[in-house]
Amino acid sequence: MNQNKLFETTKNATDKSLNFTNSMIKKSREFRTPSPKVDKIGTTVGSCIGVGLLLSGIIAMLTVGQSWAIGLLIVGAITLVSNFIHRCRLRK
C-alpha cells in the first residue's frame, strides 16, 4: 500500500513537471519568431548597415588602402548576403 502511494505521488510530480516543461516550450515558440512586419524591418535595417559597411570599405580602400578596409568589405558583403538569404526565405 505504501509503495502504491509512493508510486502515485512520484507519477503526479513527474506529470506536473512534464506539463510545465511542455507549456514553457510552447510559450518560447511564440516568442522566438517575430511578426512578419518586424522581420521585414529588421532585414531592411540589416541591409542598410551592410551597404554602409561595404561603401565604407570601398572608400577606405581607394583613399587609404589599409588592410582593415578589406575587413569592412568582407563584413559588408557577408551582411548583405545573409540579409538577402533571409529575405528570400520570408517570401516563400
Side-chain angles (χ1 to χ4, degrees), residues 66-84:
Q66 292 183 1
S67 61
W68 58 268
I70 296 172
L72 284 174
L73 288 171
I74 291 171
V75 170
I78 289 172
T79 304
L80 284 175
V81 169
S82 171
N83 282 303
F84 179 75

